[in-house]
Amino acid sequence: MKNYKSAKVEYAKYGVDTDAAIDILSKIPISLHCWQGDDVMGFEPAADSGKGQIVTTGSYIGRARNPEELMADIEKALSLIPGKKKLNLHASYAIFKDGEYADRDMLEPKHFEPWLKFCKKKRIGIDFNPTFFSHPMVKDNLTLSSPDKKVRDFWIRHGKACIRIAEYFAKNTGVECVLNFWIPDGYKETPADRLSPRLRYQQALDEILTEPYDKSKVYITLEPKLFGIGLESYTVGSPEFCLSYAHSRGLTPLMDNGHYHPTESVADKISALAPFYEKIALHITRGVRWDSDHVIRFDDETKEIAKEIVSCDCLDKVFIAMDYFDSSINRIAAWVLGSRNLQKALLYALLLPHKKLSELQDEANFTKMFVMDEEFKTFPFNDVWDEYCERENVELSMNWLREIDIYESEVLDKRN
Ligand code: RNT
Ligand code: ZN
């Protein structure tokens, strides 16, 4: 890129090596969530969508309605996103050949074979999630914490089945699989008994974990949440519960930045967990006034999370996934935009003079630390970004949108 050389010189003045930054960025795996492509519907014949706590809003044309369409859309998105990717699947995206439907508690690796084939062709790893929502066995908003043993047992079987599927993905791709547990369980009103549901959740998870798995290939993560729609007063899997559980059982904590009080910062929590966990998993999203899962922007919150990952030297410790769903704009554009913004935030973080800034902190030179932090915001960042895109062979700037426009008129328009 024509301006890259001068940008490189500018950054080098502060000891920042732009080539090294580009190189590191290209190797950070970003997990692309399949559910942005179809409004979190999945492929089950009687998908109970709309129930459960996952809400998408908007009615943009071209939602992927079957595995072929979703794979084609993912393929388009992947071609426009630089860097290393993984695909993040949910159990509700099992693919059934004619007449061989299996309910969630009976899922097997074979129901995900086409996904494995797809990802092997793309040479990417796979992450996985049991789907504890949008299903008739979610009773009164409860799954693993239900007082009804039949309900709990159904979801325990689901959890175990997902461990087997995660291991199948990891073994066959050669890439570790992050298996994330999130349950929507909770109450709209102040419950009379907060303890029993948590004890039941704890026991159910213990039961699921009796399923043997290879801990060097499958990383089980637990995702807490402060509240959900219809669960405003109490969630069973609260942050304290999930962290304590994960820590006591050797699991990995997962933090979704939409799941906390609005003034809490997930960026700050990374260094708080880092000393205690081998791995930390993240769902990067954007909440607007609530856990609304808007498309990731290149904004302060995302930059701050990226900055912490880099400055805490946690790049090998974190599993980075995205979790948002917008059906009011072109869904492929949503994927590409969010992924690129997240990578921009990581690049931005990689281009900061962390060593210098922390020296200033230790010297209590807070004035200079503040000034430098601000000045770097207007450094020639975009020249380095464009260089990265060029080296990765993806479209620069907004040119990628043109490709999506063509895909929209040639493919998506015809889906209605
Ligand atoms: C829900 C959680 C969860 C889901 C996905 C689809 O609040 O964030 O991670 O969004 O599993
Ligand atoms: Zn999440």
Side-chain angles (χ1 to χ4, degrees), residues 223 254 256 259 283 323:
E223 180 181 15
L254 185 146
D256 177 316
H259 287 193
H283 271 183
D323 183 13

Side-chain angles (χ1 to χ4, degrees), residues 84-100:
K84 193 165 170 187
K85 278 90 65 178
K86 287 178 94 179
L87 182 63
N88 206 356
L89 291 172
H90 243 282
S92 51
Y93 290 77
I95 298 174
F96 303 110
K97 293 185 196 122
D98 303 320
E100 66 159 20

Side-chain angles (χ1 to χ4, degrees), residues 3-285:
N3 296 328
Y4 177 65
K5 269 202 185 118
S6 62
K8 188 176 153 83
V9 172
E10 239 6 77
Y11 279 102
K13 285 184 193 158
Y14 295 86
V16 175
D17 181 344
T18 51
D19 285 326
I22 287 175
D23 193 46
I24 295 170
L25 180 62
S26 68
K27 295 185 181 123
I28 305 173
I30 303 289
S31 199
L32 187 77
H33 51 312
C34 74
W35 52 91
Q36 162 60 51
D38 76 330
D39 310 344
V40 209
M41 300 278 268
F43 305 135
E44 288 156 323
D48 200 8
S49 67
K51 299 220 174 130
Q53 288 62 45
I54 307 289
V55 190
T56 61
T57 51
S59 50
Y60 202 83
I61 54 135
R63 183 183 79 79
R65 297 158 301 180
N66 53 51
E68 295 71 36
E69 291 179 354
L70 188 57
M71 284 182 199
D73 293 358
I74 292 171
E75 198 162 0
K76 187 81 223 168
L78 289 174
S79 74
L80 300 168
I81 302 168
K84 193 165 170 187
K85 278 90 65 178
K86 287 178 94 179
L87 182 63
N88 206 356
L89 291 172
H90 243 282
S92 51
Y93 290 77
I95 298 174
F96 303 110
K97 293 185 196 122
D98 303 320
E100 66 159 20
Y101 171 70
D103 206 349
R104 293 206 192 149
D105 62 331
M106 301 299 279
L107 288 173
E108 291 176 51
K110 69 173 183 194
H111 300 123
F112 293 87
E113 204 192 309
W115 282 117
L116 176 69
K117 235 173 106 186
F118 175 77
C119 291
K120 279 178 89 167
K121 209 172 110 206
K122 298 265 133 216
R123 295 168 182 275
I124 58 176
I126 307 175
D127 292 327
F128 196 49
N129 304 260
T131 311
F132 292 102
F133 53 83
S134 304
H135 190 280
M137 280 303 264
V138 180
K139 298 272 197 236
D140 307 318
N141 278 330
L142 302 173
T143 63
L144 290 174
S145 76
S146 167
D148 182 344
K149 187 168 183 307
K150 265 210 215 83
V151 173
R152 287 200 308 280
D153 285 347
F154 175 86
W155 292 110
I156 287 169
R157 287 195 299 277
H158 179 55
K160 290 180 166 182
C162 288
I163 292 179
R164 295 190 288 270
I165 296 161
E167 198 167 63
Y168 159 80
F169 284 147
K171 280 199 173 133
N172 287 287
T173 56
V175 183
E176 57 204 11
C177 176
V178 176
L179 176 65
N180 179 47
F181 281 72
W182 171 74
I183 60 163
D185 298 32
Y187 292 104
K188 183 183 176 85
E189 277 303 339
T190 310
D193 174 4
R194 291 174 180 269
L195 180 61
S196 302
R198 288 186 171 139
L199 290 175
R200 288 191 291 264
Y201 186 24
Q202 179 186 21
Q203 254 187 12
L205 285 171
D206 281 347
E207 179 73 30
I208 290 170
L209 292 177
T210 61
E211 181 69 32
Y213 67 98
D214 183 341
K215 296 200 169 62
S216 69
K217 293 195 168 69
V218 174
Y219 285 83
I220 296 188
T221 64
L222 196 57
E223 180 181 15
K225 185 161 173 162
L226 188 64
F227 79 96
I229 290 186
L231 321 162
E232 288 82 359
S233 302
Y234 169 83
T235 64
V236 180
S238 64
E240 292 77 10
F241 176 93
C242 288
L243 275 183
S244 308
Y245 187 87
H247 198 259
S248 60
R249 306 302 194 270
L251 303 186
T252 299
L254 185 146
M255 297 189 286
D256 177 316
N257 58 303
H259 287 193
Y260 297 86
H261 284 288
T263 62
E264 269 185 279
S265 149
V266 162
D268 177 67
K269 296 175 195 295
I270 292 169
S271 56
L273 299 191
F276 303 102
Y277 291 93
E278 184 205 336
K279 299 281 185 188
I280 297 170
L282 298 171
H283 271 183
I284 312 281
T285 187

